[in-house]
Amino acid sequence: MGAIHWGSFFFLFFALVTCTFAVAVVISNNIVRMATYLVASLCGVAGLFFLAGAQFLGAMQLMLYVGGTVVLLIFGVMLTARGPFVSMRSGGGQWILALLVGGALLAVLMQTVAAVRPLAAPGAAVANSSTEKSDGKPAEQPRATADGAAEPLITTQLGAGLVGVRTDQVGRKTAAGDNAVVAGYLLPFEIVSIHLLVVLVGAAYLARAKRRLASSPSLPEEGQ
Amino acid sequence: MAEALIKNLNVAAGYQWIVYLLVGLVQVALILALVMTCVAVYTWMERKISGRIQDRMGPTRVGGRFGWLQPVADGLKLLCKEDIVPREADGLLFRVAPYLDFCAAFVPFLAMPFAPGWVVQRLDTAVFFVVAIGGLEVLGVILAGYASGSKWSLYGAMREAAQVVSFEIPLGMCVVVPVLMAGTMSLETITQQQAGWFWYWNLMNPFALVTFFIYMICATASSNRAPFDLPEAESELVAGFMTEYSGFRWAMFFMAEYCAMLLLALLGALLFCGGWNGPIPVATMLGLTPEHGAVAGFAGNCLGCLNLVIKGFLGVIFMMWLRWTLPRLRIDQVMTTCLKYCVPLASAMLVGTMVTVFVFRGGLALSPHKAEEAPTKASRQTDNDCKLKNANCKMQIDGHSASADAPSSNLQFSFCGFHFAIPPTRDGGA
């Protein structure tokens, strides 16, 4: 076969782009440059999605994250900036704190990556997992693809997996005997999104105009 | 395409990547050639059109009577100018911004179909992809304005941010309307459903007609053209976000602007105006379809591509006409246009289309069963929707293709689950 596996090559390329610019975000001092590097990093992630054939997800990444978030970020930076080029210097304590938080998140993510069963194409995974089971009872035949070719992974399956329906595990019985419909990640997902909303509201509150109208004492003390 | 080449030429496995690389390069070069040619022609057209509108001649000297070599002279001049980076500027971002801007305007062309099968990368969510990448253009402009280290540039960038971010909303809503009507996000399928005479175009749907005009307004606004050219308002802000730019980088901004105009015009043509289907199905009449052989299919595709490019030119000419006709709006007027008129109208059209699609499952347009006649590979994914639509669409003109149990009427349709049939004696005014 070919000397180079081009899928892996492009995966590594996009992963390198993502990681390099992510590191650049951390290292950089200028906040607008940080935003630019973040755009490049998120574009790399979108490239990974496109490479995986998840076109909708890739376009979504570009639309929501690269488009929306970064424009808002730059917006906020420009509206709140005091000087022409904001430079951020972080002290040693902040670095340590950030490393701790980031390391903890990385550990959680790595553990999750190792724990989740790989989402394989329907048919193949079920066949493998059913043969692995040693209780001798042949698992029911998975809804095998008629032509033998594995269906490509699409985002529908990923989304179904998020709410707990693993389409690749349909034929499989768990140890308890019920179907492989497990508790999904919808509730944590929603909690995180509410959290993000709170963060957004907080950011808007912090970035609001600090001036208060001195000539109108009838206004309440808190201002707006 | 690359797969077919590899199969026909029996390329060894180790060298297949060369074929992929070459095919990719040729495709990108073709798109780049088309876009760059259009941009060059547009700069000339803009001068001629503005000249005519203002009762003067426009360029007349360079290259003969019509000044048609003017773009070449402009390009040479811009290449020879000194490339200046202001002392106050953030050098890296200042240098990167024009290319970012141009990339965001150019990359969506990779998902644009120019004829059946003539697309660099066939995406099922092409509409979404095009809108998503096209929206990134604002980033280049904001970076340019910020990195220039100049007040004028920063003001221009702020205006751009406010304007484009606002107009993205109605633009997105407008794009959703034909997507709803077609039941797919694939640009190729959307266009194929409009095949035939011009009354099969989405434009003939009253909701889509209104949406098209909102779309053109939003397209003009999001490509920073007058009357929405606040980001580079030359009478107030020198040149807005590109005040500090000169030479080739300035040219990149201009190319990006014309590129975005062409992109939005082409997208509008594909979504609303039948895309590569001409007003009269000449190609089908002459038998220039793939069923009559590869050469006929190729000729038909060429004709379709020409159709689409002509429509794109008409859209761009419309934008130029607007620019030289209307005065510039104030920022509050821009916001009023967007938030008080475009967004509510687009929302109303969206809701109207939803109701139409739900009630008249086959659509209001006199569309025969296109999807059943020619099921394409791309349309098969949305086949469920199409089947549903077509199964419920009992609106058939001429009873010859109607189902066997109801041959007695020549016009029948269903409304909210009730079936109506107009007997042949009556003059069915469809």
Side-chain angles (χ1 to χ4, degrees), chain A residues 34-47:
Chain A
M34 279 184 207
T36 317
Y37 296 146
L38 188 61
V39 167
S41 182
L42 291 172
C43 282
V45 176

Side-chain angles (χ1 to χ4, degrees), chain A residues 22-41:
Chain A
V23 170
V25 172
V26 177
I27 293 175
S28 173
N29 282 326
N30 184 328
I31 198 160
V32 176
R33 280 199 185 184
M34 279 184 207
T36 317
Y37 296 146
L38 188 61
V39 167
S41 182

Side-chain angles (χ1 to χ4, degrees), chain B residues 222-303:
Chain B
S222 57
S223 55
N224 301 325
R225 299 278 303 176
F228 301 100
D229 63 340
L230 292 165
E232 44 167 308
E234 58 257 46
S235 50
E236 330 166 10
L237 294 184
V238 191
F241 62 90
M242 41 173 137
T243 304
E244 307 292 340
Y245 281 89
S246 77
F248 189 66
R249 293 180 210 283
W250 182 84
M252 289 302 279
F253 277 121
F254 242 71
M255 282 194 259
E257 180 177 326
Y258 284 109
C259 207
M261 281 165 69
L262 176 66
L263 176 79
L264 289 163
L266 284 182
L267 186 66
L270 283 170
L271 290 177
F272 296 98
C273 306
W276 55 75
N277 304 300
I280 302 164
V282 177
T284 321
M285 286 173 177
L286 295 178
L288 296 177
T289 47
E291 290 94 63
H292 295 82
V295 179
F298 183 77
N301 274 2
C302 285
L303 208 61

Side-chain angles (χ1 to χ4, degrees), chain B residues 163-329:
Chain B
Q163 175 178 323
V164 172
V165 170
S166 313
F167 271 94
E168 284 282 301
I169 300 164
L171 188 74
M173 283 183 181
C174 292
V175 167
V176 170
V177 166
V179 168
L180 266 179
M181 287 165 62
T184 171
M185 278 213 229
S186 157
L187 277 172
E188 222 173 337
T189 316
I190 289 177
T191 314
Q192 264 157 4
Q193 287 178 2
Q194 304 176 55
W197 289 82
F198 62 88
W199 53 78
Y200 298 131
W201 293 359
N202 281 339
L203 204 60
M204 292 298 130
N205 182 309
F207 291 112
L209 183 69
V210 178
T211 310
F212 179 63
F213 282 99
I214 306 170
Y215 173 84
M216 284 312 281
I217 292 172
C218 297
T220 315
S222 57
S223 55
N224 301 325
R225 299 278 303 176
F228 301 100
D229 63 340
L230 292 165
E232 44 167 308
E234 58 257 46
S235 50
E236 330 166 10
L237 294 184
V238 191
F241 62 90
M242 41 173 137
T243 304
E244 307 292 340
Y245 281 89
S246 77
F248 189 66
R249 293 180 210 283
W250 182 84
M252 289 302 279
F253 277 121
F254 242 71
M255 282 194 259
E257 180 177 326
Y258 284 109
C259 207
M261 281 165 69
L262 176 66
L263 176 79
L264 289 163
L266 284 182
L267 186 66
L270 283 170
L271 290 177
F272 296 98
C273 306
W276 55 75
N277 304 300
I280 302 164
V282 177
T284 321
M285 286 173 177
L286 295 178
L288 296 177
T289 47
E291 290 94 63
H292 295 82
V295 179
F298 183 77
N301 274 2
C302 285
L303 208 61
C305 190
L306 191 67
N307 252 323
L308 186 64
V309 172
I310 288 174
K311 283 173 188 171
F313 265 79
L314 286 179
V316 172
I317 288 173
F318 173 76
M319 289 189 199
M320 290 179 181
W321 178 27
L322 269 187
R323 170 171 180 177
W324 296 101
T325 308
L326 298 172
R328 182 182 307 128
L329 299 176

Side-chain angles (χ1 to χ4, degrees), chain B residues 3-27:
Chain B
E3 287 83 359
L5 265 180
I6 287 168
K7 210 172 142 195
N8 288 339
L9 299 178
N10 278 328
V11 182
Y15 297 102
Q16 286 182 356
W17 64 274
I18 301 179
V19 178
Y20 281 105
L21 186 71
L22 284 180
V23 167
L25 281 180
V26 166
Q27 285 172 330

